[in-house]
Amino acid sequence: MANPFVKQYLMTAGPTPIPPAVSEAMAQPMLYHRAPAFIEVYARCLEGLRLVFQTENDVLCFAASGSGGMESAAANLVEPGEPALVASCGKFGERWVELCDAFGARTVHLDAGWGNKVEPAELERQLRETPAKVVFTTLSETSTGVVNDIQALTQVAHDAGALIAVDAVSGLGAVPIPQDEWGVDVVVAGSQKALMCPPGLGFASANDAALEFAAGAGAHRYYFDWQRTVKGQRKDPPDSPFTPAVTLFLGLDVALRLIEEEGLEQVFERHRLLGRAARAAVRALDLELFGPEDENANVVTAIKLPEGIDGATVPKLMRDRYGVTIAGGQGHLKGRIARIAHCGYFGAFDILTTFAAFEMALRDAGHEVELGTGVGAAQAVFLEAGVPVAAPA
Ligand SMILES: *Cc1c(COP(=O)(O)O)cnc(C)c1O
């Protein structure tokens, strides 16, 4: 075991920390995927996923990272040579562009710019100008912390007769996206963020309209063919057309139970509180958030690093000197922002620990900081909300 004096804290938006009970379940002996012992777990996971996706759809499961879930959407929804509209506001939104291009779409890119939200009115204008049958967008843009208004964007897409596919890889299970209530056609996610599991499962929840459209669209797909997976998962008992990631399902079974026990609304509330505390710490430190002040941006807090210091050293110092791993900026934001994640298995003291290390690293990097300023502001938020105490064993 590593030196406890430099205990490690994982504060990135994926992979995220895993509850011990999840790790423990995955240490069990391997199961044959057609044996009743696994099928029971598999069936329970498929039901539990419906609860988190807030849907009656079959949540299709693939052995893949979150991008695999996204690729399944492109493989099933992109019609080669036809327009596909991507509404992006950061690195992960741009992945939709790359995917649509790879599957031969005439991709139209509505780029809201990194750090902005996709404006529903802009999407409306773009769809009038360049109609498309499918809109691809992002719930939580992990590269910037921005959370888009999926309910409004769905309305706009539907009014224009388009389907909408949403990358909720980091947002699902952290901020609300009630799929059926909002009528979101496709929601894509991955196991390693708010779902508190290791990387390796990609999910796609497609409604009947999307499945029907997919049946007549798409050109190149095999493993990611939604039809094939739907057919397997709808059998009684459910069956996976390919060998499922058995070990990950054992973990997911426990993670979904933990979410159910905490209650989905309470899970969202916890994330709201973590986000609010993180933003309060940033303000108290006299630093700026990257992106708009937003009560709903509770997945990742992105912070503009102060001018005059080498920004890239801050996450590095935090990790190497203090054992707290956060993320820096991606792409052109490298060295300009720090990203502190709080999606998944995170509590109040993760935020306090992280801001303590952040303040120390800022000071090490040469930025004047009154130690405790950010931590104190976050503490005040937690105290005001009622001190989160550990549940009795
Ligand atoms: C993490 C993430 C992904 C997918 O990442 P993988 O590395 O393929 O799991 C996609 N979109 C968003 C918004 C993400 O945060």
Side-chain angles (χ1 to χ4, degrees), residues 13 65-67 70 92 95 138 140-142 167 169-170 192-193:
S65 77
S67 301
M70 295 174 74
F92 290 103
R95 185 161 298 174
T138 318
S140 154
E141 178 45 78
T142 318
D167 165 5
V169 175
S170 66
Q192 82 276 28
K193 301 194 174 173

Side-chain angles (χ1 to χ4, degrees), residues 219-241:
H220 306 294
R221 61 195 185 207
Y222 180 78
Y223 179 78
F224 285 129
D225 185 2
W226 283 348
Q227 222 55 53
R228 186 176 277 116
T229 297
V230 165
K231 219 171 121 207
Q233 290 191 189
R234 281 186 184 167
K235 284 187 190 153
D236 185 19
D239 184 24
S240 168

Side-chain angles (χ1 to χ4, degrees), residues 41-50 59 61 233 238 249 256:
V41 170
Y42 183 56
R44 216 166 32 233
C45 286
L46 297 181
E47 270 317 301
L49 285 167
R50 286 195 165 113
V59 179
C61 302
Q233 290 191 189
F249 276 101
L256 290 170

